[in-house]
Amino acid sequence: MKRVFSGVQPTGNLHIGNYLGALKQFVDLQNDNECIYCVVDMHSITVPQDPKELKKHTLDIAALYMAVGLDPKKSIIFAQSMVPGHAELNWVLTCNSYTGELSRMTQYKQKSKGEESAPTGLFMYPVLMAADILLYDTDIVPVGNDQKQHIELARDLATRVNNKYGKTFVVPEGKFMKAGARVMAMDDPTSKMSKSAPNEMSRISLLDEPSKIKKAIMRATTDSEGIVRFDIENKPGVSNLLSIYSAFSGKTIEQLEKDYEGQGYGALKKDLVEVTVDALAPIKANFNEIRESQELIDIMKDGAERANAIATPVMNRVKERFGLGL
Ligand code: AQP
């Protein structure tokens, strides 16, 4: 059995990008692997958060994990701040990382918007992510492909420490979906769909009403050619719609291109609304039930205990290798 770890930030409602790029894989992996899925609340405070909202979102994400199909009997579900090893290992890895490699991280560059002085937490984000992964001797990390560079850093840090201090960490592998690995924004198909983008119409959240889903898809940016063809460079909007359609329906892009041959974008969009609404309806129904249940907090407490039991021996091994403590 391989060990799987991944996390999602509680920075808002999850969107179909989070689902198709990451959560769908989480569910698929839980039957044949030992899976640890975390709500990475400490990551979210790299940018300011309202404390009340943060707690609410943390529970929302945990409930959404279960609503999409994670079974707490099979998968460990908890919040990052409930296991102290994440912060502890973060420091050890910080001392083994370089400002040069961190300043090359694309996400940091985008989120700091090139400002000369940006929050240190934003800069250190990828090291904390490496700590999350390495803390559990993780083999596989299912993520969207916006996280490729961060996974590479986790691998580099693991290898660096192993070479210097002797075998300490498992070197993890990233796992990416074929369809849905990078869902783009509805209003701007050259940027990725994001929870924190200011325009609500740029994303489709898992809990959106059908009317909002319809509006976002029907208004999605396309082009004036009128031919349904997958071509990311020249037709990013239509290509994005085709990717989403393919990921939800299981149909190949080639099949979809054939199905919509000679039809305009209207027909494609109309059917995509239906496919998306149908796919999200059960998630929404499950979410409401789970979110209201008292069990949710117990599941997370139990998850944190199980996660801590895996993390403690790894952290002890790290301390031993580094000569920390007695
Ligand atoms: N647009 C996307 N397409 C495919 N996968 C995506 N992921 C995020 N956006 C897309 C994947 O979802 C998982 C959780 O992401 P995260 O919450 O850790 O943060 P993020 O990557 O920064 O996602 P957001 O939605 O853009 O959040 P904000 O706006 O808060 O920064 C990851 O596996 C990610 O790859």
Side-chain angles (χ1 to χ4, degrees), residues 140-292:
I140 301 170
V141 192
V143 277
N145 77 4
D146 60 314
Q147 295 299 329
K148 255 187 188 160
Q149 206 184 15
H150 292 167
I151 301 288
E152 268 318 303
L153 181 83
R155 289 171 55 81
D156 288 350
L157 288 174
T159 308
R160 188 176 301 158
V161 169
N162 288 349
N163 289 341
K164 205 162 164 195
Y165 296 90
K167 176 93 172 85
T168 310
F169 295 124
V170 171
V171 181
E173 300 274 348
K175 190 169 183 301
F176 310 93
M177 292 297 270
K178 272 202 190 107
R182 186 185 284 259
V183 175
M184 308 309 278
M186 290 285 135
D187 60 338
D188 172 12
T190 59
S191 330
K192 82 165 184 129
M193 188 177 283
S194 169
K195 290 187 223 92
S196 53
N199 182 6
E200 267 294 324
M201 287 297 160
S202 68
R203 62 185 158 265
I204 296 170
S205 295
L206 300 186
L207 303 176
D208 274 348
E209 293 299 332
S211 57
K212 153 76 199 307
I213 297 173
K214 185 174 177 190
K215 221 183 240 176
I217 294 177
M218 296 311 286
R219 282 187 192 175
T221 303
T222 48
D223 55 68
S224 55
E225 193 189 40
I227 297 172
V228 177
R229 183 166 53 84
F230 189 86
D231 175 352
I232 291 191
E233 211 164 295
N234 300 305
K235 296 168 73 67
V238 175
S239 303
N240 191 36
L241 297 180
L242 284 169
S243 295
I244 297 169
Y245 200 143
S246 166
F248 274 129
S249 66
K251 289 188 179 176
T252 63
I253 302 271
E254 294 74 34
Q255 181 63 51
L256 291 171
E257 283 175 335
K258 267 198 204 122
D259 290 352
Y260 290 95
E261 206 175 323
Q263 302 188 54
Y265 301 147
L268 171 74
K269 285 181 168 180
K270 195 168 145 283
D271 291 350
L272 180 58
V273 171
E274 204 178 306
V275 166
T276 309
V277 168
D278 286 353
L280 301 188
I283 297 178
K284 201 167 163 186
N286 291 342
F287 171 80
N288 291 332
E289 197 181 311
I290 296 163
R291 186 63 175 87
E292 276 160 29

Side-chain angles (χ1 to χ4, degrees), residues 130-143:
D132 300 337
I133 297 167
L134 302 183
L135 184 62
Y136 297 102
D137 283 343
T138 301
D139 300 295
I140 301 170
V141 192
V143 277

Side-chain angles (χ1 to χ4, degrees), residues 6-23 26 40 107 111 125 142-147 180-185 192-197:
S6 197
V8 171
Q9 296 188 77
T11 40
N13 271 333
L14 296 190
H15 51 72
I16 57 170
N18 299 130
Y19 176 64
L20 297 173
L23 269 78
F26 294 5
V40 288
Q107 186 172 299
K111 292 206 170 176
Y125 183 109
V143 277
N145 77 4
D146 60 314
Q147 295 299 329
R182 186 185 284 259
V183 175
M184 308 309 278
K192 82 165 184 129
M193 188 177 283
S194 169
K195 290 187 223 92
S196 53

